[in-house]
Amino acid sequence: MKALVLGPDRTLDLVERPEPSCVAPDDVVLKVEQTGFCGTDRGVLLGKFSAEPGVVMGHEAVGEVREIGTGVTTVKPGDRVIVNPTLYCGLCDRCRRGLLNFCVNKAGTEIGIDRDGAFAEYLRLEERFLYAIPDDMPYDRAVLVEPLACVMNNLEAAGTRPGERVAVLGAGPIGMVAALLADHYRATVRLIERDPFRRRTAEAFFRNLSCGAVSVCEPRDAPARSADLVIDTVGSLLTESLTIAADLGRIVVMGFDEQATATIRPLELLQRGLRVIGAGDYNSLLFARAVQTARHLPLEGIVSHHFRLDQVDAALTALGIGPDAEYAGMKVVLTPGAEA
Ligand SMILES: [Zn+2]
Ligand SMILES: [Zn+2]
């Protein structure tokens, strides 16, 4: 099968790999229909986050069940499913306390990071990490359920309440999903983005939805101390977040950037009553609810491009990766099953 693997110099290379087949009784092999290109994948290629060289990348996947192991009971060939790529062991102390996203045995099990992922025609995964796609939900929407689960985890960790003022930093796909979900929770949302293309795209998206409670602006137009809750989807904007947060506000750090650092005056947190929250990626216990919530959210409007695996260069250009490339896309989706 065709697959895109991470090269030693942070390239994404099209290679041939053997097709997977079921080994363990609970294994399922999927034909991958769509895999979203995540901000984290982009971060890996830009040196902001680590992944294992040689790994097949891609984790935001949806597909059709092709083959099932002898013990599989909840899916059958032909079923449409969403992949939950944040695997957990279920046996460690943290898993047994329900903190599945902080499983101590995660190393070596993150799909598309240090275990082969879904920028490939087929993917093998244990049954328990697959969720049925509702019959009325197209793949274009289902492919955004995993990012929705991440956003849901972060908004819920911060206790998002109706009527409060939420500032979302970054109008990439995660920022868009965060604004959409915060609006669904009946908050008043300001989406703040530096890049003019992304700002225009976000404005058009929310105008068409007539989401009156979502406004879009650039950073210099975001008033200081104006948000009860700040979500930093970029992962490097803690200093800006402290400025935008109102006194007694909460700040959630969300984007994955292992190079970002920030200087904080502890006294400011103390005197202004600020709380900084790290919520990890989603807890898998949220995943089924994310599938159901997606039925009410027009997530497919965030998908801007579909590319086959052999069009990876065009996909990278749309993502602003490469010399002189600028953002020309929102959620870029690869379609491993599509014929050339
Ligand atoms: Zn992701
Ligand atoms: Zn565990």
Side-chain angles (χ1 to χ4, degrees):
M1 67 172 182
K2 288 200 224 32
L4 292 173
V5 304
L6 179 63
D9 299 317
R10 300 187 175 280
T11 51
L12 199 46
D13 306 327
L14 187 63
V15 301
E16 281 290 327
R17 282 283 180 96
E19 271 179 35
S21 52
C22 295
V23 180
D26 62 340
D27 276 344
V28 174
V29 173
L30 305 182
K31 177 173 184 286
V32 180
E33 294 291 342
Q34 296 197 3
T35 307
F37 214 106
C38 176
T40 307
D41 300 324
R42 189 172 178 275
V44 168
L45 300 177
L46 293 173
K48 292 181 181 175
F49 195 68
S50 303
E52 200 63 34
V55 77
V56 177
M57 290 187 71
H59 57 268
E60 300 175 356
V62 292
E64 193 183 294
V65 174
R66 186 47 72 94
E67 185 191 329
I68 59 173
T70 52
V72 170
T73 58
T74 59
V75 294
K76 59 183 186 311
D79 284 359
R80 300 185 320 137
V81 292
I82 306 174
V83 168
N84 168 4
T86 302
L87 311 189
Y88 56 89
C89 75
L91 294 171
C92 72
D93 176 58
R94 291 175 179 185
C95 281
R96 288 186 172 193
R97 287 156 61 202
L99 306 169
L100 307 179
N101 47 336
F102 294 103
C103 172
V104 298
N105 295 318
K106 251 183 175 181
T109 71
E110 289 266 4
I111 299 267
I113 297 292
D114 54 15
R115 167 176 158 157
D116 280 342
F119 288 163
E121 292 176 86
Y122 298 93
L123 175 71
R124 176 176 58 216
L125 193 62
E126 296 95 300
E127 175 184 19
R128 67 190 173 119
F129 298 113
L130 300 173
Y131 291 75
I133 300 177
D135 287 342
D136 55 355
M137 190 183 292
Y139 281 128
D140 265 3
R141 183 176 297 196
V143 76
L144 277 148
V145 165
E146 192 268 354
L148 176 65
C150 288
V151 165
M152 183 178 275
N153 181 51
N154 282 273
L155 289 187
E156 299 206 354
T160 310
R161 291 184 288 266
E164 68 178 356
R165 300 162 297 171
V166 175
V168 177
L169 307 192
I174 285 286
M176 299 280 275
V177 174
L180 206 49
L181 186 64
D183 179 72
H184 183 70
Y185 289 166
R186 303 192 182 287
T188 301
V189 186
R190 188 191 297 274
L191 185 52
I192 302 166
E193 169 63 49
R194 183 168 51 93
D195 179 75
F197 169 81
R198 293 210 147 176
R199 217 163 44 235
R200 280 196 306 276
T201 308
E203 275 165 5
F205 176 73
F206 287 105
R207 197 183 320 116
N208 289 342
L209 287 180
S210 51
C211 275
V214 178
S215 63
V216 182
C217 72
E218 53 185 307
R220 65 164 185 225
D221 294 333
R225 305 200 179 187
S226 63
D228 305 303
L229 172 59
V230 183
I231 315 283
D232 172 15
T233 72
V234 182
S236 59
L237 301 177
L238 184 54
T239 308
E240 292 81 352
S241 299
L242 291 167
T243 303
I244 292 168
D247 289 354
L248 307 178
R250 294 101 72 211
I251 294 157
V252 182
V253 287
M254 211 189 145
F256 285 75
D257 185 338
E258 62 192 8
Q259 292 175 352
T261 57
T263 304
I264 298 179
R265 288 173 51 239
L267 184 65
E268 184 179 358
L269 301 183
L270 186 162
Q271 289 186 319
R272 295 180 55 204
L274 297 174
R275 275 188 289 154
V276 179
I277 299 166
D281 39 20
Y282 56 85
N283 187 318
S284 293
L285 297 175
L286 274 177
F287 210 89
R289 194 144 58 84
V291 175
Q292 292 308 316
T293 304
R295 303 180 87 158
H296 307 287
L297 301 177
L299 296 164
E300 61 279 8
I302 296 170
V303 176
S304 62
H305 293 81
H306 296 90
F307 293 110
R308 299 185 311 266
L309 294 180
D310 61 353
Q311 295 173 311
V312 58
D313 290 341
L316 297 180
T317 301
L319 287 157
I321 301 172
D324 306 325
E326 285 178 24
Y327 276 134
M330 194 51 79
K331 178 55 92 179
V332 169
V333 165
L334 298 183
T335 54
E339 299 286 327

